[in-house]
Amino acid sequence: MAHKIILDTDPGIDDAMAIFFAFQSPDIEVLGLTTVYGNVPVTMAAQNALTLCEIAGKDIPVTKGVGMPWVGPESTYAHFVHGDYGFGHIKPEAPKTELDPRSSAQFIVDMARKYPGEVTLVAIGPLGNLALALRLEPELPKLVKGVTIMGGAAFVRGNVTPLAEANIWNDAYAAEIVFGADWDLTMFGLDVTNDTPFSPSFVETLEEKNAKLGGFVKDTAQFYMDFYSANREDRVCFFHDAFPLAHLRHPELFELTEGHVRVGTGELDRGQTAVAPKGTTPSPLWNNANTIKVATKVDHAKLEQLFIDTYAL
Ligand code: RIB
Ligand code: CA
């Protein structure tokens, strides 16, 4: 039985690798790509999502979503990580296909109503579309199968501040709404993604296995590797966004822990995902909060092989 998913994304180089992984996965049915600002402005994210669908020959809905955080000023985006156009050194041609006229939030609600209990929301960017969808349809948690995200840093340092990971930091109030909703949420944060560096030979192998999709990932990853390797001896990058998708298909590759989660929204703790494993704190501020599942370990070798084998299909 295929996993019906909506991929909420801010493409983005690791988003692109994850989107192609989902497209290549025989047991994943992508109902649509819903875009959000984050790595790049939402208009660019939407155009990039159309481009990725055209490269992969996928005819599925692509929607444009929120372009601003729930609270606060416009983002300054992450062009220093993902490049001027979100694909490293590559300036993509304008896509020929059109966006679905619905907003990302409306598309999420429509699909959840169309396929009650079947759709998994896979969010690999900031969480504004999911938060807005919750406001549009308060029954959404009952209508979706579950939520799985790339974001957060439960027991490790952040990548934007010492406490916060980018997707959560970018829209901390939206994240607070999403983490506070009564649905089954699994978080793949820097605890596992920053623990899994990928080398130049990995992206070269993806290209060998799949010249079109792997070749695009390899080409866009060069800029991305420059950024991640700046203060390292070795040349690496991190394909954060594919982790929730890999877990959907092969949960046995991961270890999860369950805990109460609170999201920081203050000046210092903005975007912190403070997780207290059950029974570890007397504080009602945590014990009365939702519990989520947090990925704490992954089998690096088997994960890398899964990516390679899937691109090779
Ligand atoms: O912190 C990593 C996350 O932020 C990834 O989703 C990356 O694409 C960026 O959105
Ligand atoms: Ca992303």
Side-chain angles (χ1 to χ4, degrees), residues 10 12-15 38-39 82 124-126 150 159 165-167 190 224 228 240-241:
D10 60 335
I13 293 167
D14 62 324
D15 299 71
N39 290 324
H82 294 267
I124 56 176
M150 189 283 136
N159 58 3
E165 177 278 330
N167 286 336
L190 301 179
Y224 195 53
Y228 273 112
H240 309 274
D241 286 337

Side-chain angles (χ1 to χ4, degrees), residues 270-283:
R270 169 184 165 185
Q272 182 180 13
T273 47
V275 176
K278 287 187 168 182
T280 60
T281 175
S283 168

Side-chain angles (χ1 to χ4, degrees), residues 198-200 221-223 225-226 229 232-237:
F198 291 90
S199 68
Q222 301 316 306
F223 184 96
M225 285 198 174
D226 292 347
S229 308
R232 293 175 67 113
E233 295 296 311
D234 53 352
R235 184 165 171 74
V236 298
C237 70

